[in-house]
Amino acid sequence: MRERLLAAEKVVPIRWHDGSLYLLDQRQLPLKEHWQRFERSSDVATAIRDMLVRGAPAIGIAAAFAVVLAARARYAAGGDWRGALAADCQQLAEARPTAVNLFWALRRMAECLAAQSDDTALQALEQEALEIYTSDREANLVMAQLGAEVIERDNPHPQHIYTHCNAGALATGGFGTALGVVRAAHLAGLVERVFVNETRPWLQGSRLTAWELLQEGVPMRLNVDSAAAHVMREHEVRWVIVGADRIAENGDVANKIGTYQLAVTAMHHGAKLMVVAPSSSIDMDCECGDDIEIEERNPDELLSVAGQRITVDMPVFNPSFDITPADLIDVIVTEKGIVERPDEEKMQALMCRKRLH
Ligand code: MRU
């Protein structure tokens, strides 16, 4: 399966080449494939904030490479370069609040730096960023297989799957989390059709997930977010499969706004909910979902469509994420293994395990 997944890889959102960071501008996809080159960490912080790069693991990876860019510039300037670098890292940390992968990656980079002398620091930081990148890709390959096995054990026949937002290659170092499982399930003949929520207001579903699935020939159909209950009733959806921006110690999951109502809808219709995320998305410092900061984004995302104003000024509530309580989740798939019906005890046991790959 690993080889078949590798052969099917079509989309890569992040490149590190000759000491420069290149990001595929996700705001312009799928109509335009524009790569932007980054030399300064402040520009990467802006790119994360403005969602040129998005998706929990991808913003962690981009931030790690931004630290390499910042360290190089600060070291060359001399003086208290480590102090100046800490300020750059703080700026990156403030780019977006919900996905814990950002803070996880910055902590790993800080720990790496602390263990190095000035002579070895730059090379070690670059190695660490590359390791964060490649291990995310590896984790996704492991999760893809584990998730597909769960689906096959449950029902070995082609079935209807439902997904929300984009937890695909574009959101990660490669292959994707939730969409990685969908890919592996498709290769194993387990997918009759994937229903894709368009995912208002940023349209990660119609612009990114649909694009990824179409490129790989996975049978899919796009629908408006509010069709979820109707689709589930009419089309016997077996699995809802989503990613996560942060998973709390008790198994509560922060993910794209709309995931919670999808989970409630799934439970009513007998569809199972699978959350797929690397262990870098698990935050054992958050006891439960209430401890997770939910990002609120610009009202313009609702007042305008594709830059075109569609209504008058008014108060807007635009949370970018919501919390799905653990008791609505059938299984969490990570690279360390799977957790069925998550709770605090099971999450703690999972986090004690070594990585599988
Ligand atoms: O606002 P976004 O597009 O960064 O939100 C992305 C999501 O909610 C994804 O589902 C999540 O980050 C998992 S990506 C593997």
Side-chain angles (χ1 to χ4, degrees):
M1 174 61 78
R2 187 188 155 85
E3 281 63 39
R4 292 175 71 199
L5 276 168
L6 284 167
E9 187 173 33
K10 295 267 191 304
V11 179
V12 181
I14 299 174
R15 289 203 175 106
W16 178 253
H17 183 65
D18 275 349
S20 291
L21 177 64
Y22 296 82
L23 298 173
L24 184 56
D25 188 344
Q26 302 197 25
R27 300 168 306 182
Q28 303 191 46
L29 289 173
L31 300 180
K32 200 165 166 202
E33 287 181 48
H34 172 71
W35 283 89
Q36 194 162 318
R37 179 178 173 180
F38 289 86
E39 296 290 347
R40 294 173 357 162
S41 79
S42 57
D43 292 336
V44 180
T46 305
I48 293 171
R49 192 196 62 208
D50 294 348
M51 294 174 65
L52 182 150
V53 59
R54 37 70 45 207
I59 64 178
I61 294 163
F65 284 122
V67 174
V68 180
L69 299 174
R72 208 164 56 201
R74 297 301 186 184
Y75 183 78
D80 176 18
W81 72 275
R82 286 177 189 249
L85 179 57
D88 295 329
C89 292
Q90 185 56 32
Q91 184 187 43
L92 287 162
E94 285 165 10
R96 290 190 80 185
T98 305
V100 73
N101 310 61
L102 175 62
F103 313 108
W104 172 86
L106 289 172
R107 194 171 55 241
R108 268 190 60 166
M109 295 303 281
E111 284 168 4
C112 168
L113 177 64
Q116 299 298 321
S117 69
D118 282 4
D119 290 345
T120 57
L122 295 188
Q123 205 186 352
L125 285 173
E126 184 171 0
Q127 276 314 310
E128 188 70 1
L130 286 167
E131 163 66 19
I132 287 171
Y133 184 17
T134 53
S135 68
D136 184 68
R137 202 163 164 271
E138 282 302 314
N140 290 343
L141 284 168
V142 173
M143 290 188 289
Q145 291 175 73
L146 289 177
E149 281 163 24
V150 171
I151 294 171
E152 186 158 30
R153 268 201 306 277
D154 173 65
N155 172 19
H157 306 292
Q159 53 207 283
H160 286 160
I161 287 174
Y162 203 110
T163 193
H164 185 59
C165 194
N166 173 265
L170 288 165
T172 65
F175 298 103
T177 56
L179 226 50
V181 169
V182 170
R183 288 196 164 94
H186 169 66
L187 291 174
L190 299 168
V191 177
E192 187 171 333
R193 179 181 296 154
V194 185
F195 291 92
V196 178
N197 262 356
E198 60 175 351
T199 318
R200 285 277 299 147
W202 214 77
L203 303 174
Q204 288 94 333
S206 54
R207 297 191 307 103
L208 309 177
T209 296
W211 185 61
E212 287 196 36
L213 293 175
L214 285 171
Q215 287 188 72
E216 294 187 21
V218 181
M220 56 75 59
R221 186 170 289 176
L222 179 69
N223 52 260
V224 294
D225 303 345
S226 42
H230 179 71
V231 169
M232 283 187 206
R233 202 183 62 176
E234 298 289 310
H235 296 283
E236 235 184 284
V237 172
R238 188 87 175 189
W239 284 97
V240 173
I241 308 182
V242 294
D245 285 83
R246 196 187 297 222
I247 302 177
E249 188 184 23
N250 71 341
D252 287 355
V253 166
N255 191 49
K256 180 52 57 193
I257 187 74
T259 304
Y260 177 28
Q261 71 186 30
L262 210 50
V264 172
T265 309
M267 178 147 282
H268 181 77
H269 292 91
K272 297 184 179 191
L273 177 60
M274 177 188 290
V275 175
V276 190
S279 54
S280 56
S281 300
I282 299 174
D283 184 355
M284 299 301 272
D285 292 333
C286 281
E287 271 181 36
C288 67
D290 292 346
D291 297 340
I292 300 175
E293 185 180 344
I294 300 293
E295 175 183 14
E296 275 187 47
R297 291 193 66 84
N298 196 317
D300 279 348
E301 289 184 352
L302 273 67
L303 300 176
S304 300
V305 170
Q308 178 76 41
R309 191 75 175 197
I310 52 157
T311 187
V312 295
D313 260 339
M314 64 184 82
V316 166
F317 180 43
N318 185 20
S320 196
F321 301 97
D322 59 24
I323 304 293
T324 300
D327 58 11
L328 292 179
I329 298 168
D330 288 279
V331 57
I332 294 179
V333 176
T334 78
E335 85 284 5
K336 286 170 178 276
I338 68 165
V339 178
E340 284 176 297
R341 296 249 147 243
D343 61 21
E344 185 182 323
E345 207 177 310
K346 292 179 192 169
M347 293 305 291
Q348 282 170 352
L350 175 86
M351 291 308 274
C352 290
R353 287 188 214 157
K354 285 205 162 44
R355 292 173 84 101
L356 288 176
H357 62 267

